[in-house]
Short mmCIF file of all heavy atoms in Angstrom, two decimals:
data_model
loop_
_atom_site.label_atom_id
_atom_site.label_comp_id
_atom_site.label_asym_id
_atom_site.label_seq_id
_atom_site.Cartn_x
_atom_site.Cartn_y
_atom_site.Cartn_z
N GLN G 74 14.91 32.28 -74.02
CA GLN G 74 16.31 32.60 -74.10
C GLN G 74 17.08 32.09 -72.80
O GLN G 74 18.10 31.43 -72.90
CB GLN G 74 16.52 34.08 -74.24
CG GLN G 74 17.97 34.53 -74.32
CD GLN G 74 18.63 34.13 -75.63
OE1 GLN G 74 17.97 33.86 -76.67
NE2 GLN G 74 19.93 34.01 -75.63
N LEU G 92 12.99 45.84 -82.87
CA LEU G 92 12.37 45.34 -84.08
C LEU G 92 10.92 45.83 -84.19
O LEU G 92 10.48 46.22 -85.30
CB LEU G 92 12.30 43.83 -84.09
CG LEU G 92 13.72 43.11 -84.38
CD1 LEU G 92 13.60 41.66 -84.07
CD2 LEU G 92 14.11 43.36 -85.86
N TYR G 113 11.42 40.39 -91.99
CA TYR G 113 12.05 40.04 -90.70
C TYR G 113 12.56 38.56 -90.65
O TYR G 113 13.58 38.28 -90.18
CB TYR G 113 11.11 40.33 -89.55
CG TYR G 113 11.12 41.74 -89.07
CD1 TYR G 113 11.74 42.77 -89.85
CD2 TYR G 113 10.39 42.15 -87.98
CE1 TYR G 113 11.76 44.09 -89.41
CE2 TYR G 113 10.46 43.47 -87.55
CZ TYR G 113 11.11 44.45 -88.25
OH TYR G 113 11.03 45.76 -87.86
N SER G 126 28.98 31.98 -89.69
CA SER G 126 30.13 31.83 -90.60
C SER G 126 31.41 32.52 -90.03
O SER G 126 32.45 32.22 -90.50
CB SER G 126 29.83 32.37 -92.02
OG SER G 126 29.84 33.75 -91.92
N LYS G 140 34.09 35.35 -68.38
CA LYS G 140 34.29 36.74 -67.96
C LYS G 140 33.34 37.64 -68.62
O LYS G 140 32.80 38.58 -67.95
CB LYS G 140 35.76 37.21 -68.28
CG LYS G 140 36.78 36.65 -67.38
CD LYS G 140 38.17 37.15 -67.75
CE LYS G 140 39.18 36.43 -66.92
NZ LYS G 140 40.52 36.68 -67.31
N SER G 151 35.36 39.50 -58.25
CA SER G 151 36.31 38.42 -58.13
C SER G 151 36.38 37.59 -59.48
O SER G 151 36.38 36.43 -59.55
CB SER G 151 35.77 37.49 -57.02
OG SER G 151 36.55 36.39 -56.81
N HIS G 154 38.93 34.61 -60.27
CA HIS G 154 38.63 33.39 -59.55
C HIS G 154 37.35 32.76 -60.03
O HIS G 154 37.28 31.51 -60.22
CB HIS G 154 38.52 33.75 -58.01
CG HIS G 154 38.36 32.61 -57.14
ND1 HIS G 154 39.31 31.62 -57.05
CD2 HIS G 154 37.35 32.22 -56.31
CE1 HIS G 154 38.89 30.68 -56.17
NE2 HIS G 154 37.71 31.02 -55.68
N PRO G 179 26.43 31.07 -46.72
CA PRO G 179 26.62 32.39 -46.11
C PRO G 179 27.91 32.40 -45.30
O PRO G 179 28.24 31.47 -44.65
CB PRO G 179 25.40 32.69 -45.28
CG PRO G 179 24.42 31.65 -45.66
CD PRO G 179 25.11 30.51 -46.19
N VAL G 256 21.20 -4.77 -43.75
CA VAL G 256 22.52 -5.36 -43.29
C VAL G 256 23.03 -6.41 -44.27
O VAL G 256 24.21 -6.48 -44.53
CB VAL G 256 22.37 -5.96 -41.85
CG1 VAL G 256 23.63 -6.66 -41.47
CG2 VAL G 256 21.99 -4.81 -40.84
N THR G 301 26.50 10.56 -59.10
CA THR G 301 27.93 10.62 -58.78
C THR G 301 28.45 9.24 -58.40
O THR G 301 29.61 8.87 -58.64
CB THR G 301 28.18 11.71 -57.78
OG1 THR G 301 29.59 12.00 -57.91
CG2 THR G 301 27.99 11.25 -56.32
N SER G 309 11.75 0.78 -52.67
CA SER G 309 11.10 0.40 -51.48
C SER G 309 12.23 -0.16 -50.57
O SER G 309 13.31 -0.53 -50.98
CB SER G 309 10.11 -0.72 -51.81
OG SER G 309 10.48 -1.92 -51.19
N GLY G 382 28.29 43.08 -79.00
CA GLY G 382 27.41 43.46 -80.13
C GLY G 382 28.16 43.55 -81.48
O GLY G 382 27.56 43.89 -82.48
N ARG G 393 22.36 44.70 -95.11
CA ARG G 393 22.17 45.84 -96.01
C ARG G 393 22.68 45.57 -97.41
O ARG G 393 22.11 45.93 -98.41
CB ARG G 393 22.87 47.07 -95.43
CG ARG G 393 22.19 47.61 -94.23
CD ARG G 393 22.45 49.12 -94.00
NE ARG G 393 21.89 49.46 -92.71
CZ ARG G 393 22.53 49.32 -91.50
NH1 ARG G 393 23.78 48.86 -91.48
NH2 ARG G 393 21.87 49.62 -90.41
N THR G 416 21.18 48.33 -82.47
CA THR G 416 20.85 48.95 -81.19
C THR G 416 21.54 48.27 -80.02
O THR G 416 21.77 48.78 -78.94
CB THR G 416 19.38 48.95 -80.91
OG1 THR G 416 18.85 47.66 -81.13
CG2 THR G 416 18.58 49.95 -81.73
#
Side-chain angles (χ1 to χ4, degrees):
Q74 177 71 22
L92 285 172
Y113 275 9
S126 75
K140 284 184 187 166
S151 178
H154 187 61
V256 174
T301 202
S309 119
R393 289 202 187 89
T416 50

